[in-house]
Amino acid sequence: MNDLAQSRCEACRADAPALDEQTIAALHAQVPQWSLETRDGVRQLERRFAFADFRQALAFANAVGELAEAENHHPALLVEWGKVRVNWWTHKIAGVHRNDFILAARCDALFAQRDGR
C-alpha cells in the first residue's frame, strides 16, 4: 500500500482552491492506473477494474461502497459482468481534490487484497 492510501481525507469546503497542475501530476503519479477524464465538464479520476465474473465485480463495488460510506465521499460506480468502473471527484469543487487521489489509492489497495492476492 502506498503512502497516499494511508493518508487521511480532510473535509473539503466549496471554496477550497482547485489543485494546480503540478500537484495533480504529483498525486496522479502515485495512482498511475487511474486516468484523468472530463465528464460533463468535471475533471475526474477513473479506473476500470476487471474480474472473473459478476459476483466478484459486485463484491468489489460493495467494498468500495463501504469505503465511501466510511469517508462520506462517494464515487460513481458502474458494475457490469466482470468489470467495475470507478470515478472519483469532489462535487463541492466540481473537480479533483486530494481526497479523490487518496480514495483512488485505497481502491487500488482493495483490488490488490481481493481473494488474498
Side-chain angles (χ1 to χ4, degrees):
M1 187 180 308
N2 70 27
D3 290 340
L4 194 57
Q6 295 177 6
S7 297
R8 300 298 311 159
C9 289
E10 59 188 47
C12 182
R13 300 180 333 265
D15 63 347
L19 297 177
D20 61 58
E21 290 303 315
Q22 185 175 356
T23 302
I24 289 172
L27 291 168
H28 191 219
Q30 295 181 61
V31 288
Q33 293 179 304
W34 291 77
S35 61
L36 282 163
E37 304 290 337
T38 301
R39 295 194 181 278
D40 298 323
V42 178
R43 202 164 189 192
Q44 304 175 12
L45 283 170
E46 178 175 296
R47 181 170 174 194
R48 295 167 192 259
F49 296 88
F51 301 90
D53 56 31
F54 184 78
R55 184 179 305 256
Q56 290 178 26
L58 185 59
F60 178 75
N62 285 329
V64 172
E66 291 298 323
L67 171 66
E69 279 296 298
E71 292 295 342
N72 196 29
H73 189 62
H74 304 92
L77 296 169
L78 175 62
V79 181
E80 299 179 81
W81 191 95
K83 55 188 167 184
V84 176
R85 187 183 78 203
V86 181
N87 289 73
W88 289 105
W89 75 99
T90 300
H91 301 268
K92 285 183 181 179
I93 64 170
V96 292
H97 184 274
R98 187 172 194 279
N99 293 346
D100 300 304
F101 290 93
I102 290 169
L103 292 168
R106 289 191 190 164
C107 284
D108 288 347
L110 282 174
F111 185 68
Q113 293 170 0
R114 75 194 191 292
D115 300 327
R117 293 176 197 181

